[in-house]
Amino acid sequence: MAKNMLDGAQVIVDYLIRQKVPYAFGLCGHGNIQFIDALYERAGDIKTISVHHETVAGFMADVYYRVSGQPTATFTSCGPGSANLPIALGNSFLDSVPFLAVTGNIPTSQFNRGAFQELYRHYQADYPSTVRAYCKRVFQPTRGEMVPLAVRQAWKTMVTGRPGPVVLDVPFDVFREAAAEETPNPEEWSANISCRCGADPDGVSKAVDMLLAAERPVILIGQGVKYGGAAADLRTLAEKLDIPVAWSASGTGGIDSTHRLALGLVARNGPYQANHAARQADVLLALGVRFDDRTSSSWLPGYSFTIPPTRLIHVDIDPDEIGRNYPVALGLMADVRTFVRQLLGALDARKDITANAAARAKWLDTVAGYRKEWEAYIAPGFADEGSPINPQRAAREIDAAIPADGILVSDIGVHHNWLIAFCKPKRPDSLIGSMGFGPMGFGVAGALGAKLAAPDRPCVSVCGDGAFFMHASVLGTAVEYKIPVVWVVWNNYAYASIRGLQRGYLDGRELATDFKHPDTGAPYNPDFAAMARSAGIEGVRVDRATDLGDAVRAGIAAGRPYLIDANIGADRNPGGAGVWELPGLGQSQPAIGGRYQPN
Ligand SMILES: Cc1ncc(C[n+]2csc(CCOP(=O)(O)OP(=O)(O)O)c2C)c(N)n1
Ligand SMILES: [Mg+2]
């Protein structure tokens, strides 16, 4: 190599450092040892975290971003190593979270010869086809000199517009080929690009007219409000117009859930006041939310929404999400924060914004009535002292034990449904979950990323027994890198969310959904607390609701990795005011209230 030349791997690592990436998460293989060598050279500037399953690396990178706003990188080898990554890519892609996945591939000189670990039967070195549906974009430089362009374009694509994970697939020889004397300068290529585009000014004024004329307005917030940094402005807007705010699962925490205008989650398991207000709204202002089936009661009119006659104002940075599932009275492509600021500016310019104040006050009273009905409906669950622990009570005990600045990362399963229904998050990152792809393991591993992003804040993972067993390798990673997270294993001896579907829809024909001892038929699971201890982590078992909060507090106070094996009942599902119907499996009914039919 010519003097002063950086090779492909060095260019990528240097570029990451220039983009202030503090961590690279990954797992070795022959396909990426040269990249790891470049990380070795710069160990003082970027820390390498070696995990025990590639998915863990992806989930850590994902949640690191959700907490800090800083994208990081993963590194995986060719063939199976990178084939373990698409679950994490899909998760981040559907939840619009950026990270740069540096994947190794076979040497270009061996393309299409069927070398060890080459996917070649359809096209040479074909990892890009594997991940095309799972990420925002794939780059595959095939000469060293292509690397600087690829890395800067990959980064820019990842962070601009609607963010998402991007794959940089690098053949073995390209890591070591001369690439450039200098890396591209982020100041020139991505740091100064703003995607904070506002909405068309006519659209802003129409939105103001519609909101001021509304008698039963509701604001619905999604993830765009949280990751777009719009929470503070959103609150100002809601207070200024006295409009109640509901959220999708991904929008949870976009407004303090104890705020007087906070309605709650719109979903099957969402409270009466949230679903019942949203479906009666005359104007619904939807901000950075994509109306998936979970948020929209499977799009059945009259449960979560009734659009039309509700007039929908839908604002999103990605116009593909506008008009996907509901007709719009007004659709505006814009960054949510910029749009909310535009609205606030336009409202300041209006002389009188109180025209409908009496109707609005009546609407808030009506909604308060729904809230009372909901609170009476859920009250008994909090008083249950039985063992196994009542799941509603468990959610409340765990939530109450985590300090206001704490971060709860949930996994996927029935425990997640309980948590999003009964936790009271105060900040945008108080309760983190995956709602697009929903891969098991997200919360098991994601909590490690959360703790690295916020070392001074308590980080608790609440995960199913199924998911924890699937990804128990995290215990080792927490020990090796001294990452003091608390795992609460929501142990219900089953893939309970799926068993619940068999019970509810398939006449209880249960198969392949619970964990049983082969001889006794008794519920079976490994002893998770002992498993933690075998890894050098403190582990305790909790069987009673009254002990659960203390266990969580003790785990947080320990300042070391800690595991709580919590024995939690699975015989009930979190009921709410919406539905989730799977086509062909019959009709669902909400647990409270019914279908709304406008006159
Ligand atoms: C990787 C992966 N495999 C399968 C599923 C389908 N799935 C969704 S929830 C669930 C059950 C999870 O069981 P557990 O972790 O014990 O959580 P629980 O529902 O019991 O709270 C399954 C299998 C999934 N989401 N992700
Ligand atoms: Mg379970």
Side-chain angles (χ1 to χ4, degrees):
M1 202 186 333
K3 231 169 107 211
N4 297 330
M5 285 297 270
L6 300 169
D7 65 25
Q10 287 170 324
V11 164
I12 299 168
V13 170
D14 191 56
Y15 192 76
L16 294 177
I17 293 166
R18 294 180 82 161
Q19 289 286 8
K20 304 193 171 46
V21 172
Y23 291 103
F25 308 104
L27 208 153
C28 62
H30 81 273
N32 65 0
I33 48 169
Q34 309 187 83
F35 183 72
I36 296 172
D37 197 49
L39 287 168
Y40 177 90
E41 280 178 350
R42 306 294 301 275
D45 299 314
I46 182 167
K47 185 160 180 184
T48 298
I49 305 267
S50 161
V51 298
H52 297 278
H53 192 294
E54 285 82 355
T55 323
V56 168
F59 292 152
M60 287 178 76
D62 177 300
V63 180
Y64 191 96
Y65 174 83
R66 293 189 201 226
V67 172
S68 68
Q70 166 67 52
T72 58
T74 60
F75 60 93
T76 49
S77 187
C78 51
S82 287
N84 260 343
L85 198 63
I87 292 183
L89 288 169
N91 172 62
S92 299
F93 189 35
L94 294 196
D95 277 6
S96 310
V97 171
F99 74 87
L100 185 70
V102 181
T103 57
N105 211 325
I106 62 140
T108 51
S109 57
Q110 298 179 358
F111 272 25
N112 209 28
R113 300 188 70 179
F116 182 51
Q117 300 183 334
E118 181 187 17
L119 288 163
Y120 66 96
R121 304 258 183 102
H122 294 276
Y123 190 72
Q124 60 196 20
D126 206 7
Y127 190 67
S129 290
T130 311
V131 290
R132 197 159 278 137
Y134 288 81
C135 65
K136 194 170 171 188
R137 179 78 203 258
V138 194
F139 292 82
Q140 191 186 54
T142 47
R143 294 201 314 268
E145 65 194 22
M146 293 165 75
V147 172
L149 179 104
V151 71
R152 69 167 169 77
Q153 288 188 345
W155 189 277
K156 189 205 71 176
T157 298
M158 175 178 87
V159 295
T160 49
R162 181 180 187 169
V166 167
V167 172
L168 183 57
D169 189 55
V170 186
F172 188 86
D173 47 331
V174 174
F175 276 134
R176 265 297 140 86
E177 252 178 38
E181 282 184 21
E182 256 191 285
T183 48
N185 181 0
E187 293 298 320
E188 289 164 19
W189 294 107
S190 53
N192 297 319
I193 301 174
S194 168
C195 296
R196 293 278 188 192
C197 50
D200 149 40
D202 286 347
V204 174
S205 126
K206 274 187 203 149
V208 170
D209 290 341
M210 285 171 71
L211 287 170
L212 292 180
E215 297 189 348
R216 298 183 310 281
V218 170
I219 299 176
L220 176 73
I221 59 172
Q223 180 158 293
V225 170
K226 290 182 6 176
Y227 301 138
D233 294 298
L234 176 269
R235 181 183 163 150
T236 309
L237 176 70
E239 288 172 351
K240 197 174 187 100
L241 295 177
D242 249 349
I243 302 183
V245 180
W247 50 86
S248 70
S250 300
T252 302
I255 186 167
D256 178 347
S257 57
T258 59
H259 189 281
R260 72 180 170 87
L261 292 167
L263 285 173
L265 173 72
V266 176
R268 166 183 61 167
N269 50 330
Y272 189 48
Q273 67 272 15
N275 283 282
H276 204 41
R279 63 199 178 208
Q280 291 181 74
D282 57 353
V283 173
L284 182 70
L285 173 61
L287 300 173
V289 62
R290 65 187 179 87
F291 292 104
D292 69 331
D293 60 329
R294 304 289 292 267
T295 306
S296 309
S297 287
S298 302
W299 305 295
L300 298 167
Y303 290 107
S304 288
F305 306 109
T306 322
I307 308 170
T310 294
R311 301 178 73 218
L312 173 63
I313 307 174
H314 194 176
V315 184
D316 204 286
I317 187 93
D318 184 353
D320 272 1
E321 297 298 355
I322 301 174
R324 178 186 295 286
N325 288 313
Y326 287 111
V328 280
L330 181 61
L332 296 171
M333 174 184 164
D335 166 70
V336 165
R337 191 180 78 184
T338 306
F339 172 73
V340 172
R341 289 181 180 176
Q342 284 179 300
L343 271 188
L344 289 170
L347 285 167
D348 283 345
R350 299 271 172 127
K351 287 197 186 63
D352 182 15
I353 60 168
T354 58
N356 272 320
R360 300 285 183 89
K362 194 169 148 226
W363 173 230
L364 288 181
D365 275 357
T366 309
V367 170
Y370 302 150
R371 190 188 300 272
K372 275 210 184 93
E373 281 183 66
W374 171 251
E375 275 162 13
Y377 168 75
I378 60 174
F382 296 126
D384 189 343
E385 302 270 307
S387 180
I389 304 167
N390 176 309
Q392 181 183 324
R393 176 89 191 262
R396 181 58 61 86
E397 294 289 342
I398 296 166
D399 188 42
I402 300 175
D405 68 336
I407 300 170
L408 192 169
V409 189
S410 173
D411 212 89
I412 314 306
V414 74
H415 58 283
H416 185 219
N417 295 340
W418 285 107
L419 293 170
I420 55 179
F422 290 103
C423 289
K424 294 272 177 208
K426 301 206 168 40
R427 298 167 42 155
D429 59 3
S430 301
L431 175 54
I432 293 174
S434 158
M435 276 316 289
F437 203 51
M440 288 165 69
F442 171 79
V444 178
L448 295 170
K451 188 68 189 174
L452 292 177
D456 299 330
R457 298 169 62 187
C459 293
V460 177
S461 160
V462 177
C463 50
D465 46 337
F468 188 79
F469 204 11
M470 189 185 264
H471 279 292
S473 73
V474 292
L475 293 170
T477 304
V479 171
E480 291 168 90
Y481 295 96
K482 291 194 172 178
I483 310 175
V485 303
V486 178
W487 285 281
V488 179
V489 179
W490 187 287
N491 189 350
N492 51 24
Y493 296 92
Y495 295 128
S497 42
I498 311 304
R499 190 178 62 186
L501 298 177
Q502 292 174 335
R503 289 181 177 177
Y505 291 119
L506 301 171
D507 298 328
R509 290 150 66 94
E510 294 175 22
L511 180 68
T513 49
D514 59 6
F515 315 139
K516 274 192 191 144
H517 197 281
D519 300 329
T520 62
Y524 162 80
N525 249 332
D527 178 340
F528 291 114
M531 193 190 251
R533 288 194 289 274
S534 79
I537 287 177
E538 195 164 339
V540 297
R541 164 87 174 182
V542 173
D543 291 290
R544 292 192 348 219
T546 42
D547 298 332
L548 186 53
D550 285 344
V552 173
R553 278 182 283 271
I556 291 171
R560 299 185 302 277
Y562 200 93
L563 183 142
I564 300 161
D565 177 359
N567 180 13
I568 298 178
D571 287 341
R572 62 192 101 213
N573 284 312
V579 293
W580 186 50
E581 266 188 24
L582 295 170
L585 288 183
Q587 281 195 342
S588 305
Q589 290 304 321
I592 174 170
R595 187 172 188 163
Y596 168 68
Q597 279 173 322
N599 307 323

